[in-house]
Amino acid sequence: MELQGITIDFYDKRTCGLLPDLCLKWDIRYDEIEDNEELIQYWEESLNRVLSKTDKVVSGNMDGKSILYSADEDAINIIKEEFKELELNKINYEDIIKCENCLKNDYLEK
């Protein structure tokens, strides 16, 4: 099964190229991107807004990246709305099984 959503890599400096406004105060010469408070706040606030509207998502950490995906069309639209600066990606559900510390909803099992 294919899911759609977003991935933010807090260890890849190219993430600031996707969200440049969140990196204005961040100094690439001295700080690691995972220490960028604006980027962390953006992720947490946007994730909380999505979760306040739907629980039909899979979210967590996978291979050092923060993920938020769903197969539910309404949930995908909510993700798209809350993370409008980012382009949606596709991932196979089988790949999400590797997710560490995921908030999982078994809506896919129903």
Side-chain angles (χ1 to χ4, degrees):
M1 174 184 293
E2 190 172 79
L3 288 80
Q4 291 186 52
I6 57 126
T7 300
I8 294 184
D9 189 343
F10 286 96
Y11 297 103
D12 188 346
K13 293 177 171 104
R14 292 177 292 184
T15 300
C16 276
L18 300 172
L19 300 162
D21 292 344
L22 300 176
C23 295
L24 294 176
K25 297 178 189 171
W26 178 71
D27 191 337
I28 193 170
R29 294 171 296 177
Y30 303 108
D31 301 325
E32 297 296 327
I33 194 155
E34 68 265 20
D35 297 328
N36 182 336
E37 290 299 321
E38 287 83 5
L39 189 58
I40 293 167
Q41 184 177 356
Y42 167 78
W43 169 257
E44 290 175 354
E45 289 176 358
S46 298
L47 176 63
N48 287 333
R49 284 193 300 271
V50 169
L51 294 175
S52 73
K53 296 175 184 178
T54 185
D55 62 353
K56 296 184 177 183
V57 297
V58 177
S59 177
N61 299 310
M62 189 171 79
D63 299 327
K65 301 171 186 163
S66 295
I67 65 167
L68 177 62
Y69 284 85
S70 182
D72 180 78
E73 197 61 41
D74 291 333
I76 292 168
N77 287 330
I78 292 168
I79 293 168
K80 189 185 299 187
E81 176 185 312
E82 293 300 332
F83 289 94
K84 56 185 157 264
E85 300 86 0
L86 299 173
E87 209 173 292
L88 291 184
N89 299 310
K90 294 181 181 179
I91 193 169
N92 287 319
Y93 181 69
E94 293 78 32
D95 295 335
I96 295 227
I97 294 171
K98 298 182 235 172
C99 183
E100 309 145 13
N101 303 315
C102 273
L103 163 90
K104 292 186 182 179
N105 183 323
D106 287 336
Y107 76 96
L108 295 172
E109 299 289 326
K110 295 178 184 175

